[in-house]
Amino acid sequence: MQSILSRSIKGPIGLIVSILVLIVIFSILNPRFGSIENLQNVLYQASVPLIVVVGATLVIQMGSIDLSVEGVMGASGMAWILLSPNTRHALDLGPWAWVIAIGLGLGLGLLSGLVHAKLKVPSFVVTLGTWYVGLGIAILLYGNGMLPSLTSEALARWPSRLSLGLPNSFWLAAVVILGGILASNYTGFGRGVLAVGNNETIARGGGMAVDRIKIAAFTVAGCLSGLAGILATMQLGSGSPDIGFGQLFTVIPAAVIAGTALGGGEGGVLRSILGVFLLIILNNGLVLAGVDPDFQSGVFGAILIVAIVAVAWPTRGALKVAK
């Protein structure tokens, strides 16, 4: 257990320093950045990518990648709102709306895992296809009728409502994070994911059910993307096939910045969480610093490159780089 703990805390020092530096800089540029209200806002903004990054990290640790996030979020989000109190019709399945919507995400993740593991199709190709399958489902559910918006004020306000001083959406993400850390560090499944990422051939030779591990990882990732789609829909208050837009380009860089090697076998959920916070704080700080929206993307990218170098440089000798 001590070795597991040491692996969990080893490496993020540069990332933590980068986050602290950003906090100091943005607090100087705008004192509002360090306020309690903005801290709550940062946690609220981070909730969706924090949920997604748990599943994405498991997949990346195997040396694979999941590009289906946005499509799965759109499909699950649309399914959920159409089965919850909304302006299009009176159908309300209550908790079953959550079960069905998350089940849809689980099914899409399972599809990706089966095709990748059993048919040996590269994960990049498979999940790109699943992305468009999910997007297609979302568009079909969206249809040409009235925009489905939540009519339940309790549901619409739940993500931003505070419990013990923190947004409910963050508490939901915290539960997912805890489950991800426990599964990754203290279960045979988590150890299997790392073993497959380190050397799939050796893992198979050692008797590991590699295909089963791959399918399980993609299924978990799809399930969590589905949950994230529901939460994002609640935050928006209405359904949209594009509810997951931009999440992929937050989650993947966050995991990589945090030391989850694209070649597999490195990193962990806890590190990826820090990566998400770095990117969310960076984006939030640029807005409060008054950076022109036309230049935010360029400034964000430049600072992101510096952050990647700062975090990766101390462990550059151990990084797996795809050439």
Side-chain angles (χ1 to χ4, degrees):
M1 182 175 294
Q2 184 175 1
S3 62
I4 292 175
L5 182 60
S6 65
R7 286 201 306 269
S8 298
I9 62 177
K10 180 183 177 181
I13 302 301
L15 190 59
I16 294 174
V17 170
S18 298
I19 291 174
L20 293 176
V21 169
L22 285 179
I23 291 175
V24 171
I25 292 174
F26 287 133
S27 296
I28 294 173
L29 293 176
N30 188 337
R32 280 184 54 205
F33 179 85
S35 66
I36 297 297
E37 292 78 9
N38 191 57
L39 171 61
Q40 294 168 341
N41 185 41
V42 167
L43 295 178
Y44 178 80
Q45 293 175 1
S47 300
V48 170
L50 284 175
I51 292 174
V52 177
V53 83
V54 173
T57 298
L58 294 174
V59 173
I60 297 173
Q61 282 182 307
M62 295 191 306
S64 302
I65 195 164
D66 184 4
L67 301 180
S68 67
V69 169
E70 297 182 7
V72 175
M73 286 183 63
S76 293
M78 283 301 306
W80 177 81
I81 197 169
L82 290 175
L83 300 175
S84 300
N86 66 89
T87 54
R88 182 175 292 180
H89 50 66
L91 181 63
D92 179 13
L93 297 187
W96 285 106
W98 291 75
V99 173
I100 293 172
I102 293 175
L104 178 56
L106 184 152
L108 290 170
L110 177 61
L111 173 64
S112 295
L114 285 170
V115 175
H116 173 56
K118 297 301 184 181
L119 301 182
K120 310 304 180 185
V121 179
S123 59
F124 176 92
V125 177
V126 174
T127 56
L128 187 61
T130 308
W131 177 357
Y132 283 101
V133 170
L135 181 60
I137 293 173
I139 292 173
L140 286 174
L141 292 175
Y142 186 81
N144 297 317
M146 181 187 303
L147 172 71
S149 299
L150 282 174
T151 56
S152 169
E153 184 176 352
L155 284 176
R157 292 173 58 87
W158 184 86
S160 59
R161 190 176 297 123
L162 301 180
S163 297
L164 301 178
L166 302 178
N168 285 334
S169 59
F170 176 73
W171 285 116
L172 176 60
V175 171
V176 173
I177 291 168
L178 178 60
I181 291 174
L182 292 177
S184 181
N185 292 336
Y186 302 105
T187 67
F189 166 66
R191 291 188 289 272
V193 164
L194 282 175
V196 172
N198 275 310
N199 194 310
E200 182 175 335
T201 302
I202 293 178
R204 286 187 185 276
M208 282 192 174
V210 172
D211 288 353
R212 188 180 302 172
I213 292 171
K214 288 184 175 183
I215 293 170
F218 278 99
T219 301
V220 170
C223 183
L224 294 180
S225 290
L227 177 60
I230 294 174
L231 180 58
T233 300
M234 293 177 72
Q235 291 178 335
L236 182 63
S238 61
S240 171
D242 298 324
I243 196 68
F245 179 77
Q247 292 297 332
L248 183 66
F249 301 103
T250 296
V251 169
I252 302 299
V256 174
I257 285 173
T260 303
L262 290 173
E266 294 286 342
V269 172
L270 187 58
R271 293 187 187 184
S272 295
I273 299 310
L274 292 174
V276 168
F277 276 118
L278 184 144
L279 296 186
I280 297 299
I281 288 172
L282 175 55
N283 184 69
N284 177 269
L286 289 175
V287 172
L288 290 182
V291 177
D292 191 312
D294 293 334
F295 296 103
Q296 279 183 18
S297 295
V299 174
F300 183 91
I303 297 177
L304 183 57
I305 291 173
V306 173
I308 292 173
V309 173
V311 172
W313 188 259
T315 57
R316 60 192 182 279
L319 293 177
K320 296 182 179 180
V321 181
K323 297 183 180 179

